[in-house]
Amino acid sequence: MSFTRRLKERQIVQWALAYLAGAWLLLQVADFLRENFGWTETAVRSVAVLLGAGFFVVLVVAWYHGEKGRQRVSAVESVLLITLLAIAAVAVTLVRRSGEAGERTAAAGVEALPVDPASIAVLPFENLSVDLESEYFSVGITDDIITQLAKIGALKVISRTSVMRYRGRADRSLPEIGRELGVALVLEGGVRRSGDRLRITAQLIEAGSDVHLWAETYDRALAAEDLFEMQSDIARSIAAALELELTGEEAEDLKSRPTGSFEAYDLNSQARYLHIQRTVESRWAAIDLYRQAITADSGYAPAYAGLAGAYLGLLLRGS
């Protein structure tokens, strides 16, 4: 019997794909728990290591028990399984020790590695609007500013997933956040939406010393052009404060405007806010808002991308 035929009869490929899909979903759950319920990076890494070892365990079990009627555990199979489990145990132990050492280092205020002076974390902008339902808008502004800063090649920008856990950070000082994220700079601010006006305040702070390097208040009309101009101004001002030279391509990229419709932008921001909650109900609500955003501006690419992501999330959940 050929090797290829054995693979087909034992359905190795199907087992592998099914396991990878399940492992991906479990990693999403672990990431959600880290972001919303305080799981440590060490715990998430341990889950990833176990899932990696589990992949090979599943292949071994599928190979030796893929033939109909095969129930007994062979000696070879036992050795392979014990070896894989031992490797997984050692790997998890090493990950935990490394994570605990890193946490002790951070608690002692000692940086394990030099911090890049051009590394920055954008903390979730505070919603200063009277309308508490405008929370989605401040979250969207935070995401957009992260995106704008990421266009500057000389800046090392921390992802939104890592910074969103600091929303309402009453128990964290900026030096502590800087140490935890391994950044030299922190950008924080607030968003106030009132009538047809929008005010954004932003402060660039040196994390280690808690000293302000730059601050600005933007008060503009509630329009797409003004909104995107404010976000670009913030990115350019930070580059100037750090004496970073923008390339021609970066300067042009910062001028780009994804839409001229504030309605499309606002609907898309609401959709993104619901989308990241990752429930079936919130994703269906997000899909409806993404569709409305596309109706408002049929050329608005982020809305199409969000719509596809929401459908994919539902498909992976089986709903």
Side-chain angles (χ1 to χ4, degrees), residues 289-311:
L289 289 166
Y290 281 131
R291 286 173 171 168
Q292 293 181 48
I294 292 170
T295 300
D297 181 358
S298 60
Y300 191 23
Y304 286 101
L307 182 63
Y311 274 123

Side-chain angles (χ1 to χ4, degrees), residues 1-12 63:
M1 184 183 297
S2 69
F3 179 71
T4 303
R5 184 178 175 186
R6 289 183 177 180
L7 287 178
K8 290 181 179 179
E9 288 187 349
R10 291 166 170 80
Q11 297 184 323
I12 300 297
W63 178 263

Side-chain angles (χ1 to χ4, degrees), residues 101-144:
E103 291 168 4
R104 287 195 297 269
T105 299
V110 179
E111 296 167 351
L113 293 172
V115 175
D116 189 333
S119 56
I120 185 171
V122 181
L123 297 185
F125 274 41
E126 186 180 356
N127 176 30
L128 302 176
S129 305
V130 176
D131 181 9
L132 296 180
E133 292 184 359
S134 294
E135 179 72 18
Y136 76 88
F137 194 74
S138 59
V139 172
I141 293 291
T142 304
D143 289 347
D144 292 336

